[in-house]
Amino acid sequence: MSNFEGSPYRLTRKSLIDLSLGAIAAISLKGGSALAQGAGAPAGASAAMADALKTGIPPDDGLAHPIPYTPALGIGQDRALVLGGGAFYLTAFYAGYFSALAANGVDLKLADVMVGTSAGTLGCHAILTDQVARMRAEIEVIGNFPATLDYSVGATFSSRRADDVGISLDSASVANIQQLGRAAMAAQTPPVAQWQALLTRLTGAGRAWPSPKFHTTAIDCYTAQRLVVGPRNDVPALVAMSASSSWPGLAGPTWMKDRLCMDGGACQTSTNSDVVAGARRVLIVSLATGDAKVDAEEGLRLSKFNNTLLQEVKDLEQGGSKVMLIVAGVPPGYQKVNLVDPALIPVAVKYGADRGNADAAKIKAFWA
């Protein structure tokens, strides 16, 4: 695996940092820049920028949505689909699971609103664009021939350091999320374009937003804000999916508008289910159980952040939603999984297909 010494990616990041520092220095000089003086901009815009620079939080770009999401996107909707994250393992599980559900007559495209986090964005996109068979075929090729992955995992010290930070912080405080964000920004991973090429290979994702139903999540590395992206935010689908799946040390981080973003699960929620509160029926597919001890023992989260999954389900139900929670968990015969090990892909695809066949009837009854 390459260490990316002297790679264009490294030069690009250095250039971006140099440019950013230069811009900040220029703004800091007394009267030293047109931006600092507000030249050519309305007084209101200049004041907003000044306030934003004081707080470090970007001017409102429509992306940041605190937990719980208000007003929730599920209000007035019938069906909502929520797909959580889980790296290569859950992507493979989804490929098998959704193939089996479709074969058994379950139409997940009936959802009125969808929110995907990390691997869940791939699942949502594939469902909406009828590319589940493609996702399964491509992930199976990677599982059977790992060399075709064309992506290095954990190749550098800084990427491993980011991974270590992720599993060392046990509370999702703003400070801890920002610490993970710093580790993400300092991690030397393969070029983002290479990660995005993998996402396109699996789902066919490009610039076009697949449906008004589709929403993704991410975390701002610098501010720790939760970001929710939809069709009105003027972000290419592939960029939104890349940001949502940029787990520190594995991929990215990814620029989205003027924010450098990491995985949407790099906080207290692994599913961001609050986004769809108010929907009459909510189907959630989660890798983890929500039990911190069980999830740690079985390798079902990439961080030790507290997982609010079970509380999210209670909140949805208290708000009037009927909720069906599907937990992927580990395959039969396994006590623990490595979420980024390509060798587990064939196992996960088969396990997903078996679970899909077993769950189809109850999901169909809940969903129809």
Side-chain angles (χ1 to χ4, degrees), residues 293-300 329-338:
K293 185 174 185 296
V294 171
D295 293 341
E297 290 174 350
E298 297 183 348
L300 298 179
V330 299
Y334 283 74
Q335 294 183 333
K336 191 170 185 176
V337 291
N338 180 345

Side-chain angles (χ1 to χ4, degrees), residues 51-64:
D51 289 341
L53 289 171
K54 289 178 182 178
T55 63
I57 297 175
D60 185 21
D61 54 10
L63 300 182

Side-chain angles (χ1 to χ4, degrees):
M1 292 186 284
S2 168
N3 63 6
F4 302 103
E5 282 293 331
S7 69
Y9 171 71
R10 186 173 186 178
L11 292 173
T12 299
R13 175 166 283 184
K14 183 179 185 301
S15 299
L16 287 170
I17 292 172
D18 290 344
L19 287 171
S20 297
L21 291 175
I24 292 171
I27 293 169
S28 299
L29 293 173
K30 185 177 181 180
S33 75
L35 177 60
Q37 296 172 4
S46 177
M49 178 61 75
D51 289 341
L53 289 171
K54 289 178 182 178
T55 63
I57 297 175
D60 185 21
D61 54 10
L63 300 182
H65 294 273
I67 301 172
Y69 190 110
T70 306
L73 298 179
I75 295 174
Q77 304 295 344
D78 185 8
R79 303 176 184 87
L81 178 65
V82 178
L83 302 181
F88 298 148
Y89 171 76
L90 192 60
T91 300
F93 176 89
Y94 282 153
Y97 194 69
F98 298 142
S99 294
L101 291 182
N104 283 277
V106 178
D107 186 2
L108 294 177
K109 283 201 296 184
L110 290 175
D112 299 296
V113 59
M114 296 182 179
V115 59
T117 296
S118 198
T121 66
L122 278 71
C124 286
H125 193 283
I127 289 167
L128 287 167
T129 57
D130 296 315
Q131 295 295 317
V132 171
R134 170 190 181 143
M135 186 165 79
R136 178 168 180 169
E138 291 292 347
I139 201 74
E140 284 182 329
V141 169
I142 293 171
N144 293 324
F145 307 98
T148 66
L149 176 60
D150 192 30
Y151 191 86
S152 299
V153 178
T156 63
F157 165 77
S158 58
S159 66
R160 295 182 182 183
R161 177 179 60 195
D163 180 66
D164 188 65
V165 169
I167 61 176
S168 67
L169 303 172
D170 58 5
S171 68
S173 65
V174 170
N176 280 353
I177 295 173
Q178 288 176 319
Q179 185 174 338
L180 182 56
R182 288 196 299 272
M185 292 188 285
Q188 189 177 181
T189 57
V192 171
Q194 196 171 339
W195 182 250
Q196 293 177 351
L198 176 60
L199 302 184
T200 299
R201 173 184 174 183
L202 292 170
T203 66
R207 180 175 183 83
W209 206 259
S211 167
K213 303 175 180 181
F214 181 46
H215 296 79
T216 71
T217 66
I219 301 295
D220 184 315
C221 292
Y222 186 87
T223 67
Q225 290 171 295
R226 195 270 299 272
L227 313 177
V228 180
V229 189
R232 298 182 180 179
N233 294 119
D234 193 28
V235 175
L238 183 58
V239 172
M241 293 166 67
S242 175
S244 184
S245 58
S246 285
W247 186 263
L250 172 63
T254 298
W255 282 104
M256 188 162 59
K257 291 193 173 182
D258 198 29
R259 299 174 183 268
L260 197 53
C261 306
M262 60 182 173
D263 195 292
C267 62
Q268 63 267 41
T269 173
S270 59
T271 62
N272 293 277
S273 302
D274 64 289
V275 175
V276 302
R280 190 165 72 88
R281 288 173 284 185
V282 180
L283 174 61
I284 303 172
V285 185
S286 169
L287 170 66
T289 67
D291 183 312
K293 185 174 185 296
V294 171
D295 293 341
E297 290 174 350
E298 297 183 348
L300 298 179
R301 288 204 81 190
L302 289 171
S303 77
K304 287 185 179 178
F305 286 160
N306 48 303
N307 189 351
T308 56
L309 172 65
L310 299 180
Q311 184 60 51
E312 291 168 42
V313 171
K314 290 180 181 179
D315 291 342
L316 288 169
E317 292 175 336
Q318 289 176 358
S321 299
K322 293 182 179 179
V323 181
M324 176 174 286
L325 173 62
I326 302 293
V327 175
V330 299
Y334 283 74
Q335 294 183 333
K336 191 170 185 176
V337 291
N338 180 345
L339 301 180
V340 298
D341 184 2
L344 268 182
I345 288 175
V347 175
V349 172
K350 182 181 183 306
Y351 173 48
D354 291 344
R355 282 286 304 274
N357 287 325
D359 292 347
K362 68 177 182 180
I363 292 178
K364 194 172 184 177
F366 175 79
W367 200 241

